[in-house]
Amino acid sequence: MLKRFFLNALSSFLGAWIALVLFGVVAVLVILGMVTRLGMSQNDNQNVSKNSVMVINLSGEITEHEIPVELDYNSLLLGNIVKNQTLSELVAAIGAASKNSNIDAIYLKCGVLVASPATLNALRNALITFKESGKKIIAYGDVMTMGDYYIASVADDICLNPGGKILLQGLGGFSLFYKGLLDKLGIEVQMVKVGTFKSAVEPYVNTEMSAPARAQLDTLYGNMWDFILEGISQNRETLTPTKIDSLVGKDFIFIRNAEKDLRSGLIDHLYYERSMDSVIASAIGKDKDDINFVAPSLLVGQEDFAIGQKSTNQIAVLYACGEILDGGGATTINYERYVPIITGLADDNNVKGMVLRVNSPGGSVFGSEQIGEALDYFQSKGKPLAVSMGDYAASGGYWISCCANKIFADPLTVTGSIGIFGLIPNIEGLMKKIGLHAEIVSTNPDALFPTLVKPMNPAQLQAMQEMVEEGYDMFVSRVAKGRNLSKDEVRRIGEGRVWDARTAMKIGLVDSLGSLQDAIEWIAKDLEIANYGVTYYPKLDNSIWSLLPELLEMKQHFSLPAELTKEISLGSWIKITNLLNQYPLQARMPEINVGFNYREIVDF
């Protein structure tokens, strides 16, 4: 008895000690991060000297805007906490570099870049605008992934390591199907949906892709690939879209040596990296010892972002990035967080208009409706609302976009997916596997409906289907109102189908192809104001308290039942846990994984 007491006391002490150490590690990391941020701010106030070249490292992940660091146990223990580059900062830095007389060129240093096609295209367009200033762009890579090369193709000189490769392979992707795994676990997923192409449900109820799902992806990938080929050929005079496609499909250029890349016209020179200082110096007519290499953050640091807050003519930019979740964290779109921001901007007399920057595959129908209503309130104040679409603005992401006064999208944006589905898991089989049994006592047969512990009967399934159809009608009605279309027209282009932005513009889902800056300038023109400030939301919370919920969520994800450790991987368990916890009714696009990078899969 005494022995057990000491063992329990020891285990409690050990648990508390581990928790204290973990908390201390997080605290130290946050403090160091704040000190680092402060140090960067001080450095950013320095002036850019003459003979400067801005270096953009095309490696790692590029996020839409600055977000809180996502923590996990491995990164905490190993110290691998990296601040991702953001599209907003890179585009701002490129714009600043084009106007700064001390910047002579941009050097693109290519690595393994992780970004979706629309993000890459937005960065590429910023570089094209930079070239209009008459300044040079030089690109180099040991190996260039497809995403790297698409951006680097705008350069005046593309240099490759003699031992390197250009990994052009076309567009493609794969979808994981969980039904076989769910069957092994004893979990049945009961489905209700509206939309022939609403394929987000398929991984949980099918073992393979349906014909409509495959058809829509064939069209989507084909249209995007054509646009990419056109873009590359416009900047490489000796290459046509047909020739590039042949290099990829027939010549297998991605496994050929660098000499073949040079002869084909994909690149201009073969150099080792140690020679690039001299190459850049020669391109801009300077001595290599006089060149000052600067980071994008230094250029962005020259801008006074407080000006926007002081202006009485503010254009607000609200980033709506991630899944739409009821109660989601800082990296999701949580209506409880976004609705007060939107209504606050509506009531702020200094805010004259807003751009909603949407980069979302959708999610909760309830959350989408709440945000949509708040945006309606913003417009009821007589303030113009524009939407700027990023990588994707589909399903719930389109729900919150469709009533804007004007919708801008990148040509490689994925949008549409107008449809709704419901997934109701039944874990009765899993309970039997682990020795659990549930008995239900209630005043009414459907008092606990829907429940995870029993399957739905036909009447309940029909009731769920009717609820989904009512939600779909609400979705269709909102799109019809926002886009000035009939409900029948919306149904014809709906059915859960995803569209590339160029096609979406033809069928009335998008108004114009353009960037976030284009949307901001449209708001200013609509308001007829020449002098305005731009403010960005939501504000980033860098306090340690904002990290604690992520630690708790992390703990839940790692709570894999011992009985199932031989049956399922951690990643699959997280996926299934999210399925069991999500609200039944969803407006979410299918997972589209586009192989746009070597050894990387980019989630649309």
Side-chain angles (χ1 to χ4, degrees):
M1 197 74 177
L2 188 61
K3 179 180 179 183
R4 182 176 298 176
F5 169 78
F6 281 117
L7 287 175
N8 288 338
L10 181 61
S11 63
S12 298
F13 171 77
L14 183 60
W17 182 81
I18 292 174
L20 183 61
V21 169
L22 184 58
F23 184 87
V25 169
V26 174
V28 170
L29 289 172
V30 172
I31 292 169
L32 287 176
M34 293 174 70
V35 171
T36 302
R37 182 182 294 272
L38 180 60
M40 288 176 61
S41 299
Q42 291 171 342
N43 289 336
D44 289 346
N45 287 328
Q46 298 173 359
N47 292 323
V48 177
S49 62
K50 290 183 178 181
N51 303 328
S52 290
V53 173
M54 186 170 77
V55 182
I56 298 179
N57 286 302
L58 297 179
S59 60
E61 183 179 3
I62 297 179
T63 57
E64 182 72 42
H65 66 121
E66 190 173 2
I67 57 176
V69 176
E70 292 189 356
L71 300 174
D72 59 68
Y73 287 134
N74 287 335
S75 64
L76 282 172
L77 293 175
L78 299 177
N80 296 331
I81 299 177
V82 179
K83 178 188 173 185
N84 293 327
Q85 297 186 90
T86 67
L87 178 62
S88 58
E89 182 177 77
L90 289 174
V91 169
I94 293 169
S98 66
K99 301 171 186 175
N100 192 313
S101 60
N102 291 332
I103 295 291
D104 294 327
I106 287 178
Y107 175 37
L108 300 176
K109 190 174 179 181
C110 300
V112 178
L113 186 62
V114 182
S116 294
T119 293
L120 298 174
N121 194 55
L123 182 55
R124 189 174 185 273
N125 285 338
L127 290 168
I128 291 173
T129 302
F130 172 86
K131 287 182 68 176
E132 294 173 358
S133 67
K135 301 178 181 182
K136 298 281 188 179
I137 299 178
I138 300 97
Y140 169 83
D142 291 329
V143 174
M144 290 190 187
T145 67
M146 191 164 151
D148 291 324
Y149 184 76
Y150 181 56
I151 293 176
S153 64
V154 307
D156 298 281
D157 288 294
I158 305 178
C159 307
L160 182 67
N161 189 301
K165 287 181 174 59
I166 304 292
L167 301 169
L168 279 176
Q169 294 178 261
L171 289 181
F174 65 86
S175 299
L176 291 176
F177 287 77
Y178 296 92
K179 187 178 186 306
L181 174 60
L182 292 168
D183 288 344
K184 287 184 178 181
L185 293 173
I187 299 175
E188 174 196 12
V189 177
Q190 304 156 105
M191 174 199 63
V192 287
K193 73 166 186 171
V194 177
T196 303
F197 297 92
K198 199 66 180 175
S199 55
V201 299
E202 290 187 358
Y204 305 104
V205 296
N206 294 352
T207 56
E208 60 184 20
M209 189 178 291
S210 68
R214 183 174 293 278
Q216 75 169 338
L217 290 182
D218 281 341
T219 301
L220 180 70
Y221 290 160
N223 290 344
M224 294 172 70
W225 181 234
D226 288 344
F227 180 83
I228 290 164
L229 293 178
E230 290 169 10
I232 294 174
S233 66
Q234 288 172 3
N235 291 276
R236 306 299 297 170
E237 295 180 356
T238 62
L239 296 175
T240 64
T242 301
K243 184 175 180 180
I244 301 169
D245 201 42
S246 179
L247 286 170
V248 172
K250 295 181 180 179
D251 295 345
F252 296 96
I253 194 68
F254 61 94
I255 58 173
R256 304 300 184 187
N257 59 36
E259 287 288 348
K260 175 71 173 177
D261 295 324
L262 181 63
R263 290 195 302 271
S264 69
L266 289 172
I267 61 173
D268 299 299
H269 305 285
L270 294 176
Y271 294 119
Y272 289 100
E273 186 177 3
R274 59 181 171 78
S275 303
M276 287 309 299
D277 285 4
S278 298
V279 172
I280 294 168
S282 176
I284 62 176
K286 307 290 182 181
D287 188 287
K288 70 174 184 177
D289 294 329
D290 294 333
I291 297 177
N292 177 39
F293 292 100
V294 298
S297 60
L298 186 59
L299 272 296
V300 176
Q302 310 300 310
E303 305 291 327
D304 185 3
F305 293 103
I307 293 176
Q309 297 284 357
K310 299 172 185 176
S311 174
T312 56
N313 287 328
Q314 293 180 24
I315 296 176
V317 175
L318 175 60
Y319 283 94
C321 302
E323 296 184 34
I324 301 173
L325 300 179
D326 301 339
T331 57
T332 66
I333 306 171
N334 176 3
Y335 78 89
E336 293 176 339
R337 184 185 186 200
Y338 275 76
V339 168
I341 293 174
I342 296 168
T343 55
L345 294 173
D347 295 334
D348 188 337
N349 292 329
N350 289 334
V351 175
K352 308 303 184 184
M354 178 168 67
V355 177
L356 183 68
R357 174 66 173 182
V358 180
N359 203 335
S360 173
S364 164
V365 169
F366 183 78
S368 300
E369 198 275 331
Q370 301 305 302
I371 293 171
E373 192 279 331
L375 292 169
D376 293 342
Y377 174 73
F378 181 90
Q379 290 173 286
S380 74
K381 295 289 188 175
K383 300 181 179 185
L385 171 67
V387 162
S388 170
M389 294 180 170
D391 298 317
Y392 36 73
S395 208
Y398 193 75
W399 185 307
I400 65 176
S401 301
C402 63
C403 287
N405 299 99
K406 194 172 182 71
I407 297 177
F408 294 83
D410 186 274
L412 293 177
T413 294
V414 176
T415 189
S417 193
I418 302 167
I420 291 179
F421 66 88
L423 295 175
I424 302 91
N426 165 32
I427 64 170
E428 189 177 45
L430 173 61
M431 291 171 62
K432 289 180 180 178
K433 284 178 177 286
I434 59 178
L436 294 176
H437 175 70
E439 289 288 346
I440 295 176
V441 179
S442 62
T443 58
N444 301 84
D446 300 322
L448 299 181
F449 164 69
T451 176
L452 295 177
V453 299
K454 296 288 183 183
M456 289 189 294
N457 60 43
Q460 292 171 335
L461 195 61
Q462 178 61 31
M464 288 294 296
Q465 182 64 42
E466 290 173 359
M467 182 177 72
V468 168
E469 289 175 0
E470 289 171 0
Y472 182 60
D473 186 67
M474 186 165 61
F475 196 169
V476 168
S477 298
R478 181 170 180 82
V479 174
K481 176 186 175 184
R483 303 307 301 158
N484 196 26
L485 298 169
S486 71
K487 292 175 71 172
D488 286 340
E489 287 175 314
V490 175
R491 287 191 176 94
R492 278 196 293 272
I493 60 180
E495 292 288 333
R497 181 158 190 165
V498 293
W499 305 93
D500 66 280
R502 291 194 296 175
T503 305
M505 190 167 70
K506 293 176 183 177
I507 61 178
L509 295 179
V510 168
D511 293 309
S512 181
L513 300 179
S515 65
L516 172 60
Q517 186 59 35
D518 291 325
I520 294 171
E521 291 174 0
W522 179 85
I523 290 284
K525 184 177 180 181
D526 184 72
L527 291 168
E528 298 182 346
I529 53 174
N531 298 313
Y532 59 88
V534 181
T535 53
Y536 297 90
Y537 302 87
K539 301 299 183 184
L540 184 64
D541 183 4
N542 291 310
S543 72
I544 188 170
W545 308 112
S546 67
L547 300 177
L548 293 181
E550 296 186 27
L551 290 175
L552 294 176
E553 182 181 355
M554 209 165 44
K555 182 174 182 286
Q556 291 175 353
H557 278 167
F558 276 79
S559 300
L560 180 61
E563 296 86 350
L564 302 178
T565 52
K566 295 181 181 180
E567 297 281 343
I568 181 172
S569 69
L570 177 60
S572 297
W573 175 249
I574 292 174
K575 189 77 174 178
I576 292 170
T577 300
N578 290 338
L579 170 67
L580 296 175
N581 288 331
Q582 75 181 18
Y583 186 74
L585 203 60
Q586 297 282 307
R588 185 189 302 268
M589 69 177 282
E591 286 191 11
I592 301 177
N593 298 310
V594 180
F596 205 74
N597 303 287
Y598 178 56
R599 292 177 298 187
E600 296 289 346
I601 296 298
V602 178
D603 287 341
F604 250 52

